[in-house]
Amino acid sequence: MVDFQTIAAIVFLIVLTIFVYLKRKNLDTKQIIPHILYFSMYRAAWGLKLMDSVAKKYRKLVLYFGYIGVIVGFVGMIFIGFMLIASLIALFTKPEAPQAVGLVIPIKAEGVFFVPFFYWIISIFVIAVVHEFAHVLVARAHNLKVKSSGFAFLALIVPIIPAAFVEPDEKELRKRPHKQQLSVFAAGAFSNIITAFLFLAVIFPLTPVVNGIIEPNGVKVTDYVKGDARFPAEISGIQIGEAIQQVDGISTPYVDNLSAVLRGKKPNDIVVVKTDKTVYELKLAKSPENESVAYIGAYLEQSTKVKGSVTAAYGKFLPNALIWLMGLFIFLYILNLGIGLFNLVPIGPLDGGRMFQLALHKIFGEEKGNRLWLNIGIFFGLIILIFILISFYNIFSDVFGKLLNFIK
């Protein structure tokens, strides 16, 4: 069954696709793979007056912010560069290792970072506003003209990932000292990194509060493992979203409890599984990795519920709202940090790429610096392209697999 979050994500993509089609004559589109993979921008002038007034009022503070951002930016560039290379090596030596780069989308699929739709759309909005607001603030603090703002999107045939942008006057910017240019480029990523740690500072005191109002409720089935044949969890009829609470009468409140019970079973054993909905009978399969190990063939995660005493005292809405906010803050921390660091990758159009180019000009001169910048940018660009293509392959494989199962 398709959940509400997935339906909302699909509706959002359809609406965005319709908007893009209607505004196609007003879009500035850069074709990466013609008509398949491309990046488009819709120009406007949203928020420029507000950002201009803030930059003037707090000019010295904004300038210091930009210069500190340069230092943080280069440290982050070294870190993310190392992580990309290490992840590429792991791809060939340890394929099961997580990727350093992947798509962040509100659709569940293997090999992507899944974010529930409402968390995703709020996070994208916050990240974009913080990032672009910082660019404009620092640019205006240096008295640089900002020509336009607007939103953009990365598309694979249809728009998939929304974004935002601002456009400083590039001709004027290139005439400024390197220090000023670097501070403008670094501001966006630096602001996302700072925002990430601000949300982390909120998460720490909230964690014991949230942990105090919830209790374990079994082990949730989040998806079926796909293979040449169906596995026991899917065959038995256990629905995605149900929480396994007992196996053969043994309580399994935690993932570790369920794993311990299954370790005591053998392939082809018949077990009775009680969930939060009903009772199922499963014939255990052989694990694909070890045929002597029993296997149910499901992706699992800890399930929790609000304590009855908390519900009795405060009702259902307040504790559930607090838990939802906690989840939002966690995603805002992870995504601000991740996207902030990603923007520091030394690739041409990214902030990190432009910072890296200026640094190479300073060290090696413009001509040799540009050659080095291009070659290094291609190297990291290929690494990212590999990971993105893997993510898209996993998405399409997963979607087509679900469609085939639905048709059957």
Side-chain angles (χ1 to χ4, degrees):
M1 183 181 293
V2 180
D3 60 27
F4 177 69
Q5 298 266 10
T6 302
I7 293 171
I10 292 170
V11 170
F12 172 78
L13 292 177
I14 291 172
V15 171
L16 184 58
T17 301
I18 292 171
F19 175 84
V20 167
Y21 176 76
L22 295 176
K23 298 291 185 179
R24 61 191 184 279
K25 294 181 179 178
N26 304 108
L27 296 176
D28 180 10
T29 299
K30 309 294 183 185
Q31 300 286 349
I32 302 170
I33 301 175
H35 308 296
I36 298 177
L37 183 64
Y38 55 92
F39 185 79
S40 293
M41 298 188 297
Y42 181 80
R43 289 181 172 84
W46 303 324
L48 294 184
K49 289 183 179 179
L50 172 62
M51 289 182 271
D52 193 45
S53 63
V54 173
K56 288 179 180 178
K57 187 173 182 179
Y58 302 102
R59 185 171 182 273
K60 285 187 178 180
L61 182 63
V62 172
L63 290 175
Y64 286 129
F65 170 87
Y67 294 137
I68 295 170
V70 175
I71 299 170
V72 174
F74 279 114
V75 172
M77 190 186 302
I78 294 168
F79 173 77
I80 191 64
F82 172 80
M83 291 298 296
L84 285 172
I85 295 170
S87 187
L88 179 66
I89 294 170
L91 178 66
F92 297 102
T93 58
K94 298 178 181 178
E96 71 279 4
Q99 297 176 187
V101 174
L103 293 178
V104 178
I105 58 174
I107 297 174
K108 289 183 179 179
E110 185 181 350
V112 304
F113 186 80
F114 168 71
V115 181
F117 175 74
F118 294 109
Y119 286 159
W120 179 78
I121 197 67
I122 292 171
S123 297
I124 290 295
F125 176 78
V126 170
I127 290 165
V129 169
V130 167
H131 188 99
E132 301 306 331
F133 192 85
H135 279 311
V136 174
L137 283 180
V138 176
R140 292 303 300 135
H142 287 297
N143 295 314
L144 279 162
K145 180 182 177 182
V146 177
K147 296 190 294 185
S148 65
S149 63
F151 79 89
F153 58 86
L154 177 68
L156 183 70
I157 302 176
V158 297
I160 294 179
I161 302 176
F165 70 92
V166 293
E167 283 187 305
D169 189 318
E170 288 291 335
K171 291 182 179 179
E172 184 183 352
L173 179 60
R174 283 194 291 268
K175 295 176 183 178
R176 295 300 181 93
H178 281 193
K179 184 170 70 171
Q180 291 187 19
Q181 294 185 57
L182 286 170
S183 66
V184 173
F185 296 146
F190 183 43
S191 66
N192 288 134
I193 292 170
I194 287 178
T195 303
F197 285 101
L198 288 175
F199 279 112
L200 185 62
V202 175
I203 290 168
F204 273 124
L206 272 184
T207 299
V209 177
V210 172
N211 288 340
I213 67 174
I214 61 175
E215 61 186 1
N217 186 40
V219 182
K220 184 188 294 185
V221 175
T222 60
D223 202 355
Y224 307 124
V225 174
K226 302 297 185 293
D228 296 333
R230 295 192 303 165
F231 287 110
E234 186 176 4
I235 293 171
S236 69
I238 295 178
Q239 298 297 304
I240 293 172
E242 287 190 54
I244 298 173
Q245 297 178 329
Q246 291 182 10
V247 176
D248 284 346
I250 301 173
S251 180
T252 57
Y254 296 101
V255 175
D256 288 346
N257 301 131
L258 178 59
S259 298
V261 173
L262 292 177
R263 280 196 298 271
K265 304 294 181 180
K266 297 179 180 179
N268 298 319
D269 282 354
I270 305 297
V271 297
V272 176
V273 173
K274 179 182 180 297
T275 72
D276 58 339
K277 303 296 182 185
T278 186
V279 177
Y280 301 91
E281 191 174 86
L282 280 71
K283 182 179 180 180
L284 298 175
K286 298 176 182 178
S287 170
E289 297 178 359
N290 186 340
E291 292 190 354
S292 65
V293 175
Y295 193 66
I296 66 171
Y299 295 106
L300 307 169
E301 69 177 30
Q302 183 64 53
S303 176
T304 59
K305 66 177 181 178
V306 178
K307 292 178 179 178
S309 58
V310 175
T311 302
Y314 300 101
K316 293 182 178 180
F317 176 78
L318 284 177
N320 282 303
L322 180 61
I323 293 168
W324 190 89
L325 280 174
M326 181 68 164
L328 176 61
F329 294 155
I330 290 171
F331 278 114
L332 282 166
Y333 161 68
I334 294 171
L335 296 180
N336 267 286
L337 184 60
I339 293 175
L341 288 172
F342 178 78
N343 265 283
L344 294 172
V345 176
I347 296 175
L350 297 180
D351 296 330
R354 304 189 72 177
M355 292 174 64
F356 190 54
Q357 184 182 34
L358 285 174
L360 291 176
H361 285 176
K362 188 73 173 178
I363 298 169
F364 299 103
E366 190 167 330
E367 185 177 345
K368 186 177 180 181
N370 280 338
R371 285 201 304 270
L372 285 170
W373 173 73
L374 181 61
N375 291 330
I376 293 171
I378 290 172
F379 171 72
F380 282 107
L382 287 174
I383 294 176
I384 291 172
L385 181 61
I386 289 169
F387 289 134
I388 289 177
L389 290 176
I390 290 172
S391 295
F392 278 129
Y393 172 78
N394 289 330
I395 292 169
F396 287 131
S397 296
D398 190 65
V399 170
F400 285 131
K402 288 178 179 177
L403 285 174
L404 288 173
N405 288 334
F406 177 76
I407 292 170
K408 291 177 182 178

